[in-house]
Amino acid sequence: MIFPWALMFYFENVSNAENNRKFASFTATRQLSLLQNLVAFFARIMATFFGEVLSVYSRAVEEDEEELDEDEEDAQIRKELEEKREVHLHWAPDVSDALQAGNKLQCSQLFLAVGHNAARFLSVYVLTSAKWDAVGHASVWNERNRAGTGQSGDQSGCVFYRHKDDPSVLICQLTCYVAEDQQFQWTEKVFDCLQHRELNVTVLSDSCMAEYKTADYLCGSSAPFLRSLHTGSFSGPQVCRSLEQPNILTGLPAAVLNHCQVHCIAAVVYQCFSDVIGPDSVTMETFKPTLTRLGKSVHLDPSPSSDVVRKFVRTSDLQSNLYI
């Protein structure tokens, strides 16, 4: 005979065992879920540190796309600027036809005047005669020469002249600014049009006396003065002292001299250091010794009239308000 209290004890033990089993199963499931979540959390951290792609939303993707669009736009703008800043040479019809036929210009003497005083020196002492023809000009557009592409030959800041009696003598007057990225381009294009055999190049250039470096004191009466620098192929007379170290040539004269040195062309640069900004008759007369480089066929005017000098030495607009 089984007593009721014994049955109650039996069923109570069975119920407790079942509950313990269910609790243990729930606990194991809970621990497994927590472990999986913990592993996923550390996986995200490791993926972040090791650079793997996470499947989460980020603005970086949109920013990269915007940067790509901006880079394409900037590249297009740079391309347009490069095309606009390209140097263009415009020659007279007869010269252009000869160049297109593959015939380079026969040139024995090229005189390049860079700067207002150097260019007006040639205008006063050389180009006043009626024996010169304008045969071309260059268009140069940059940050300081905005109207370069739309100018005609008479308005251009870079004009080429050829002697009527001796077509092998060329003069180039350059008063416009040529940027650093355009100097090599200008030099290459001009010299590609000239025959290098027996070519002699003379460059006249202006420079501020403040750029001249010396250990000695320079009084005001010593300016303006000339200094020269030439290539190894140059064998002409020395009309002034050589440019002392640590002074260097810069700008277009340096680009031309470097090109001539590489291609074994006889070339010399005469740099005039002046304390006057703008056209000045005294500064122009400083270039007179360089006339010895001109050929015999070139007519010189050693004593131009005052009217001619006054025409090219008119007071120009102030470029600086330093003393205003």
Side-chain angles (χ1 to χ4, degrees), residues 6 32-33 41 67 69 71 158 168-169 180 183 221 248 283 291:
L32 180 61
S33 177
F41 173 74
E67 291 179 358
D69 295 337
D71 292 341
C158 179
S168 65
V169 180
E180 292 184 1
Q183 294 168 5
S221 59
I248 59 173
T283 303
L291 296 178

Side-chain angles (χ1 to χ4, degrees), residues 304-311:
S305 64
S306 58
D307 294 337
V308 174
V309 176
R310 193 180 299 110
K311 177 183 177 182

Side-chain angles (χ1 to χ4, degrees), residues 310 313-318:
R310 193 180 299 110
V313 191
R314 289 178 300 193
T315 304
S316 58
D317 296 335
L318 290 176

Side-chain angles (χ1 to χ4, degrees), residues 122-233:
L122 291 181
S123 296
V124 172
Y125 291 91
V126 180
L127 295 175
T128 50
S129 65
K131 294 185 177 182
W132 295 91
D133 287 331
V135 294
H137 69 279
S139 297
V140 182
W141 186 95
N142 51 54
E143 58 275 10
R144 289 169 57 178
N145 189 33
R146 297 290 184 177
T149 55
Q151 291 179 336
S152 61
D154 297 335
Q155 298 173 341
S156 176
C158 179
V159 184
F160 296 88
Y161 297 92
R162 183 171 60 181
H163 198 275
K164 293 180 180 180
D165 298 335
D166 188 358
S168 65
V169 180
L170 294 178
I171 286 179
C172 176
Q173 288 181 310
L174 196 147
T175 56
C176 64
Y177 172 73
V178 181
E180 292 184 1
D181 60 313
Q182 297 172 321
Q183 294 168 5
F184 175 79
Q185 185 184 160
W186 186 97
T187 304
E188 286 287 327
K189 288 193 173 184
V190 170
F191 280 87
D192 282 346
C193 298
L194 307 178
Q195 184 176 355
H196 292 180
R197 184 179 180 182
E198 298 182 356
L199 174 62
N200 292 273
V201 180
T202 302
V203 182
L204 310 180
S205 176
D206 300 345
S207 184
C208 181
M209 196 172 73
E211 299 178 0
Y212 183 74
K213 302 176 181 64
T214 179
D216 301 327
Y217 172 74
L218 288 177
C219 60
S221 59
S222 60
F225 56 89
L226 282 177
R227 292 294 184 268
S228 66
L229 198 63
H230 58 81
T231 62
S233 303

